[in-house]
Every structure is written in C-alpha cells, then in structure tokens.
Amino acid sequence: MSSDPAVHSRRARADLDDPVARELLSSRIPARLAYSWRDGSPRVVPIWFHWDGAEIVMATPPGAPKLKALDEGVPVAITIDSEEWPYKVLSVRGRAHLSKVTGVCVEYAKAAERYFGPEQGTAWVSRFPPEVEMWRIAVTPEQVRILDFRTRFPSAMPI
C-alpha cells in the first residue's frame, strides 16, 4: 500500500462513491469525530455533519471543549455507522481545517434540515441570532474504509 498522500486521496474519493458510503453520508446518523486531547488521550464526540461532495463539514460553538484540541491540520478520524444488522460503517481519516464563521454556518443549516426535515430544520436554525459565531470544521477525506458486514468484514474476522 502506498504512503503517498495523493494516492490515498484519490482512493478515498473513489471509495466515497460506493453505495454504502453514499447511503451513510446522506443518512441522519450523527458522525463520531475522534481526535487527541491536549494530553494525548483519545476523545470521540457525536456531531452533526454535512457532506458537500469534497469535505465532511461540522460546526460547533466557540466554547466547545473540542476546540481546545483541534488546531489547523491536526489528524482526526470520523465514523458514521448504522445501528441495524448487517452493520454498515464508513470510517474516514483526514485533517481538521478550522475557520470562524459569523452567522449560522451554511453546512450546519443543511445538516439541521437533513436531521430534522426542511421545516423543523429551518425553524431550529432561525433560533440563532444573526451575529452568532460558529467554528466550521472541515475534513477532506484522505483515507476511507467501508465495512458492510455482508461482503466487507473487518480484516480480523476469519470469514
């Protein structure tokens, strides 16, 4: 397997066109964002996301603890996994890219509509004042792994 990031990135884009990946990226299942805390210990948090075709984008308020550990370019992992058998899992590795946004982050509003439906999602977002600040966390997939527990099992399973 190549260690060239460009090779990983091309492979990741191709894997994201897989039907299982497309299903999970358009689902209402929250992503789980994994990162290293300042002391090196692992952290995982559930978070809404929006897939824009190139990046998995999340948004968080300025006081969120994760911002103490997420710096520009730090490695993160994201998983989106189903709850029903046969399980489907999309696992993504990449780097966090952060930017401060005034007003509701566009991708957050899109995620709210996907999770709540158009009417309730719009109502949810309208509760925020126009001057609200958010941090946009974007991850461009560098490595992607898909498991569907029907044809693609974890490598440790003797099937």
Side-chain angles (χ1 to χ4, degrees), residues 64-125:
K66 65 183 138 302
L67 290 174
K68 294 176 184 175
L70 290 176
D71 291 320
E72 181 65 24
V74 300
V76 297
I78 297 168
T79 187
I80 306 163
D81 49 344
S82 67
E83 299 171 350
E84 297 162 7
W85 182 263
Y87 301 122
K88 296 174 185 172
V89 180
L90 175 63
S91 180
V92 174
R93 291 182 187 172
R95 298 190 177 276
H97 299 286
L98 287 78
S99 55
K100 195 173 192 178
V101 176
T102 300
V104 173
C105 180
V106 171
E107 294 88 354
Y108 181 85
K110 289 179 180 180
E113 288 188 12
R114 191 176 83 252
Y115 285 101
F116 286 145
E119 187 176 317
Q120 189 177 355
T122 300
W124 175 262
V125 169

Side-chain angles (χ1 to χ4, degrees), residues 1 32 38 57 64 66 78 124 135 138 143:
M1 180 170 217
R32 275 86 171 169
R38 294 183 297 180
V57 181
K66 65 183 138 302
I78 297 168
W124 175 262
W135 280 89
Q143 295 180 14

